[in-house]
Amino acid sequence: MMVEKITAQFVRDLLPTRKHRLDDELEVHADVLERISAEVARRNTDSLAAKDEFSRVEARVYVDLHKEAARNGVKITVDQANSGVKLSRERNAAMKDWQAARELHEEWQGLYEAWRTKGFNIARLTELHGAQYFAINSGTAAREPERQERTRGSIRAAVGDYSKEVRNEPLTSVGEISPRPRKRIV
């Protein structure tokens, strides 16, 4: 059932826990968690590599600015060099790549946390299932309709008599019943 390459959308589609399919949920949970963990590790490696490349590009641009200033006989301050580095297209492209890699890593990290939470939810649902929480024909459920019908019958009998008595009395004003003495219901 599992696909060879896992995608973020595939994991998102599997996140809702289906209580009526706990067997299927239990079967795929460990496999999907392992695949998500591998993807988190891969994305972390990509993010660290992009960060390292960003640092190298930034250092190279800084050194190039100082070399060019020395060739031109101009002395630049640290603030001028830092400003020049921040304006560099090469440095900004490397930073953009690092941010994209970091975003993907954080997305997969979030999916990993959500999947772990799903595992705890599956465990709780399994406990409820074992305690027959979802069972329709448990011992009390079989007797419940009988008990409810008896209760409803006694309520209908009590309210039914009262309702007939109230309906036959004339209204004196909007919503009020005439002050005529009522019969006592026993």
Side-chain angles (χ1 to χ4, degrees):
M1 179 192 156
M2 297 308 302
V3 293
E4 190 61 36
K5 175 95 169 114
I6 195 165
T7 63
Q9 188 58 47
F10 177 76
V11 175
R12 282 189 197 95
D13 291 344
L14 289 177
L15 276 176
T17 304
R18 300 165 304 202
K19 70 178 182 181
H20 300 294
R21 308 224 25 189
L22 281 176
D23 293 344
D24 296 339
E25 296 283 350
L26 288 169
E27 283 182 25
V28 301
H29 188 77
D31 184 46
V32 173
L33 183 63
E34 185 272 329
R35 289 170 185 254
I36 292 171
S37 297
E39 193 66 26
V40 168
R42 187 174 77 77
R43 298 295 180 165
N44 186 42
T45 301
D46 292 348
S47 177
L48 292 173
K51 181 181 179 183
D52 190 47
E53 178 62 23
F54 168 73
S55 297
R56 278 196 300 273
V57 167
E58 198 173 45
R60 187 175 58 246
V61 169
Y62 190 80
V63 169
D64 288 347
L65 281 174
H66 277 291
K67 283 182 181 176
E68 186 178 331
R71 260 185 280 142
N72 294 334
V74 178
K75 189 170 184 177
I76 60 172
T77 65
V78 174
D79 289 338
Q80 289 172 330
N82 287 338
S83 297
V85 168
K86 287 180 182 175
L87 293 173
S88 166
R89 287 184 188 163
E90 192 179 359
R91 180 236 184 229
N92 291 334
M95 183 172 196
K96 184 178 177 185
D97 292 344
W98 173 37
Q99 294 300 326
R102 196 173 116 198
E103 180 182 346
L104 285 173
H105 173 252
E106 289 175 4
E107 177 184 9
W108 278 97
Q109 187 66 39
L111 288 171
Y112 175 79
E113 292 301 323
W115 196 260
R116 282 191 60 219
T117 301
K118 178 181 177 157
F120 295 126
N121 291 341
I122 289 172
R124 285 187 208 108
L125 283 173
T126 304
E127 289 171 7
L128 289 172
H129 181 71
Q132 295 186 352
Y133 179 80
F134 301 116
I136 296 171
N137 294 326
S138 68
T140 57
R143 294 184 302 240
E144 194 61 32
E146 216 174 272
R147 189 178 311 141
Q148 287 176 350
E149 192 53 43
R150 276 195 313 259
T151 305
R152 286 186 190 131
S154 61
I155 291 171
R156 265 189 241 114
V159 172
D161 293 340
Y162 175 73
S163 305
K164 289 177 190 169
E165 184 180 319
V166 171
R167 272 189 248 134
N168 292 332
E169 295 180 10
L171 294 175
T172 55
S173 67
V174 178
E176 293 182 13
I177 300 175
S178 68
R180 197 172 78 198
R182 298 181 203 217
K183 294 179 186 173
R184 209 168 182 188
I185 300 174
V186 179

